[in-house]
Amino acid sequence: MTDEILNIVDKRTNASYDVPLFKDAIRTADLKKIKTDPDDFGVMGYDPAFLNTASCQSSITFIDGDKGILRYRGYPIEQLAEKCSFLEVAYLVLFGELPTEEQLKKFVTNITYHTMLHETTKKFLEGFRYDAHPMGMFISTVAALSTMYPESRHVHDASNRELQIYRLIGKVPTIAAYTYRHGLGFPYVYPDNDLTYTENFMSMLWKMAEPKYHPNPVMARALDILFILHADHEQNCSTNVMRSVGSSQADPFVSAAAAAAALSGPLHGGANEEVLRMLDEIGTKDRIPAYIESVKSGRGKLMGFGHRVYKNYDPRARIIKWAADQVFQVTGRNPKLEIALELERIALEDEYFIKRKLYPNVDFYSGIMYQAMGFKPEMFTVLFAIPRTVGWLAQWQEMLQDPEQKITRPRQIYTGHEQRDVAPMDRRGVVVAAG
Ligand SMILES: CC(C)(COP(=O)(O)OP(=O)(O)OC[C@H]1O[C@@H](n2cnc3c(N)ncnc32)[C@H](O)[C@@H]1OP(=O)(O)O)[C@@H](O)C(=O)NCCC(=O)NCCS
């Protein structure tokens, strides 16, 4: 059909090319046929940071940033957060459908079976300095799992892949909790397999001398919801790294470590820390209008506001706000909340923010909630990495099963020198006059 064909006229040659449209996209490889002569390489796409390039087809997560919609496998995030546990959602993200009772039981058993770390991995963690950053410890330890499970490199063996997926999802909370306790100088707490995924994580974080840890159900549910909200977010920076490293058929542990490294950057997983810093800087409610004026005049950004994709209220921010309220009922209100609420109210009524479609994003309230739970800002990204491991693995598996995917290898536009000859040492640095 003509309306599914893009017609390109090359004004250099006056040649006309029909480029098929495919799901509102063109395959940029089709541009290669646009040439000035048979030896010409053909036209390439140039898109640093993939602003308008789809790197894959995926059926996992759908985002409509203008409408503020986020769905996993077609299910709205609001319904999943309200009605499901994190492991139910993990099953959905990984396998495409919500589990039956039987399937969930088996899945939970499989994950629970793999929560322990080998003692040598525990010793590996002990080797970090007392003040090591938890995210550096997390990344290194996830990579180190590759040495424990060398068979994980058989990435095209489906049952092997499934086993490694269970291992990694089972072990990331244990690694995360160990990094937390290491910083405090407390002994490590072994997993308690009577508890749910989130409750066990809380036990490994906070159990002291008591024989059995009894997690507060309100806190456990709030953390579970937070995990659901962070499970996947389509082709973000760390997911793109997971797919890219995995495309070389590296094993899932080193691929996930690379993805976690991408997450550790302040432009990706670290924005909620910045929100806390900003709220500290503002200090009191009466200083908010002056702060907003300074942002509008170009001095810094309102942290936790704005998003590359969402040009509406980030649906996760709304749910986090609700979950934070639940947590505050247990911990008492974080005094920063008052400032955050007032900041949001004033910003959402301000022409500057309305015009630019700047709304609170997922990071605006999550840091305040984590802080009320007793976490230091250094732990925030590790808390993000636990649930996102599910998304990374689902996307990795989808990539490996996609017949169109090959090793990732972008093109470049070379801007360096033409060929030149190596000068002897005593002639280097001499500027040769042109002409
Ligand atoms: C998330 C973010 C990087 C998205 O950036 P982006 O899609 O490239 O958007 P742009 O930088 O093009 O912003 C568009 C306009 O809004 C302004 N803007 C964007 N975010 C802003 C913020 N948080 N505070 C004030 N102004 C902001 C920009 O200055 C720009 O204004 P201009 O048109 O007058 O130049 C950006 O909104 C930001 O830095 N937010 C704060 C950090 C944050 O919360 N990150 C977490 C993301 S989950």
Side-chain angles (χ1 to χ4, degrees):
M1 273 170 18
T2 47
D3 60 351
E4 288 176 345
I5 303 248
L6 200 68
N7 184 258
I8 299 178
V9 176
D10 185 346
K11 294 273 180 157
R12 298 170 302 176
T13 57
N14 282 331
S16 155
Y17 299 87
D18 281 343
V19 179
L21 271 172
F22 161 76
K23 299 184 180 173
D24 289 336
I26 58 163
R27 290 177 184 273
T28 37
D30 285 344
L31 300 178
K32 272 188 81 174
K33 64 186 176 192
I34 305 177
K35 300 178 181 215
T36 48
D37 62 68
D39 293 335
D40 183 4
F41 178 81
V43 172
M44 282 193 293
Y46 173 60
D47 187 8
F50 299 126
L51 291 188
N52 193 33
T53 296
S55 62
C56 63
Q57 296 186 60
S58 179
S59 61
I60 301 171
T61 293
F62 172 80
I63 300 175
D64 183 330
D66 291 330
K67 296 198 181 109
I69 292 173
L70 169 62
R71 297 183 200 131
Y72 299 155
R73 304 283 190 182
Y75 294 103
I77 192 70
E78 294 81 1
Q79 286 187 33
L80 295 170
E82 188 191 335
K83 299 183 176 158
C84 299
S85 69
F86 171 66
L87 282 189
E88 262 177 279
V89 173
Y91 185 99
L92 170 73
V93 170
L94 284 164
F95 303 116
E97 295 297 337
L98 282 166
T100 62
E101 207 175 331
E102 187 75 6
Q103 287 166 330
L104 182 64
K105 217 170 130 198
K106 205 166 151 215
F107 182 65
V108 171
T109 307
N110 281 328
I111 301 287
T112 309
Y113 188 80
H114 292 290
T115 49
M116 287 276 285
L117 292 181
H118 195 279
E119 284 297 295
T120 55
T121 308
K122 201 184 101 180
K123 284 206 183 98
F124 175 84
L125 270 158
E126 279 164 8
F128 283 103
R129 240 176 74 142
Y130 66 95
D131 60 351
H133 194 288
M135 200 54 190
M137 294 166 71
F138 181 86
I139 295 164
S140 320
T141 313
V142 169
L145 291 180
S146 158
T147 66
M148 298 293 307
Y149 309 110
E151 77 280 11
S152 64
R153 72 187 60 170
H154 302 304
V155 296
H156 288 299
D157 173 345
S159 60
N160 184 295
R161 223 168 36 223
E162 198 174 327
L163 173 62
Q164 312 314 330
I165 287 174
Y166 295 146
R167 278 189 174 137
L168 198 44
I169 297 174
K171 288 179 202 311
V172 281
T174 317
I175 298 171
Y178 279 19
T179 69
Y180 174 79
R181 306 234 355 156
H182 182 87
L184 296 171
F186 292 154
Y188 303 135
V189 174
Y190 286 91
D192 178 344
N193 288 350
D194 289 344
L195 300 174
T196 68
Y197 191 78
T198 319
E199 289 171 347
N200 171 49
F201 179 50
M202 292 167 72
S203 165
M204 292 189 294
L205 287 168
W206 295 318
K207 183 172 179 290
M208 294 307 279
E210 67 273 37
K212 181 136 186 115
Y213 182 79
H214 296 287
N216 181 299
V218 177
M219 294 267 273
R221 183 63 191 139
L223 204 53
D224 216 53
I225 289 174
L226 234 78
F227 280 3
I228 292 171
L229 301 182
H230 285 94
D232 195 53
H233 212 227
E234 51 120 303
Q235 307 312 314
N236 54 81
C237 178
S238 58
T239 302
N240 181 53
V241 168
M242 182 81 193
R243 280 179 173 263
S244 190
V245 176
S247 77
S248 75
Q249 300 184 10
D251 75 57
F253 299 107
V254 291
S255 303
L263 187 72
S264 72
L267 294 187
H268 191 357
N272 47 14
E273 254 185 88
E274 298 301 325
V275 174
L276 288 189
R277 242 174 245 130
M278 175 186 75
L279 295 176
D280 276 339
E281 192 188 327
I282 296 173
T284 49
K285 279 203 308 195
D286 58 309
R287 295 178 57 181
I288 294 174
Y291 191 85
I292 291 205
E293 283 313 311
S294 77
V295 167
K296 283 161 60 178
S297 65
R299 262 173 281 142
K301 291 219 167 125
L302 198 54
M303 298 315 288
F305 261 68
H307 196 276
R308 174 62 61 77
V309 178
Y310 294 117
K311 300 300 170 197
N312 202 323
Y313 212 102
D314 180 339
R316 300 168 301 171
R318 200 169 270 130
I319 304 169
I320 285 197
K321 202 170 163 184
W322 176 86
D325 267 339
Q326 306 298 301
V327 170
F328 297 147
Q329 284 174 25
V330 180
T331 61
R333 264 192 157 195
N334 184 335
K336 291 193 182 75
L337 180 70
E338 299 300 334
I339 303 171
L341 287 169
E342 184 65 1
L343 192 60
E344 180 187 337
R345 190 189 67 74
I346 296 179
L348 290 181
E349 287 173 358
D350 192 296
E351 188 53 29
Y352 175 96
F353 295 91
I354 296 169
K355 204 172 123 209
R356 290 169 180 77
K357 298 186 175 167
L358 299 169
Y359 294 87
N361 59 48
V362 70
D363 294 308
F364 193 65
Y365 287 104
S366 62
I368 307 175
M369 175 171 160
Y370 288 145
Q371 195 177 51
M373 286 174 148
F375 294 111
K376 286 198 186 133
E378 302 90 89
M379 267 306 282
F380 293 177
T381 317
V382 177
L383 297 169
F384 188 161
I386 298 170
R388 184 53 61 84
T389 298
V390 168
W392 291 332
L393 290 167
Q395 300 267 355
W396 168 75
Q397 167 130 284
E398 188 178 61
M399 181 269 303
L400 287 170
Q401 291 173 324
D402 181 345
E404 276 201 304
Q405 288 291 337
K406 296 173 188 285
I407 184 168
T408 305
R409 206 314 186 175
R411 292 271 170 192
Q412 65 165 10
I413 296 173
Y414 178 68
T415 58
H417 290 278
E418 292 298 324
Q419 180 177 318
R420 48 191 183 152
D421 296 324
V422 176
M425 192 68 83
D426 61 355
R427 302 268 340 258
R428 291 183 201 165
V430 177
V431 180
V432 181

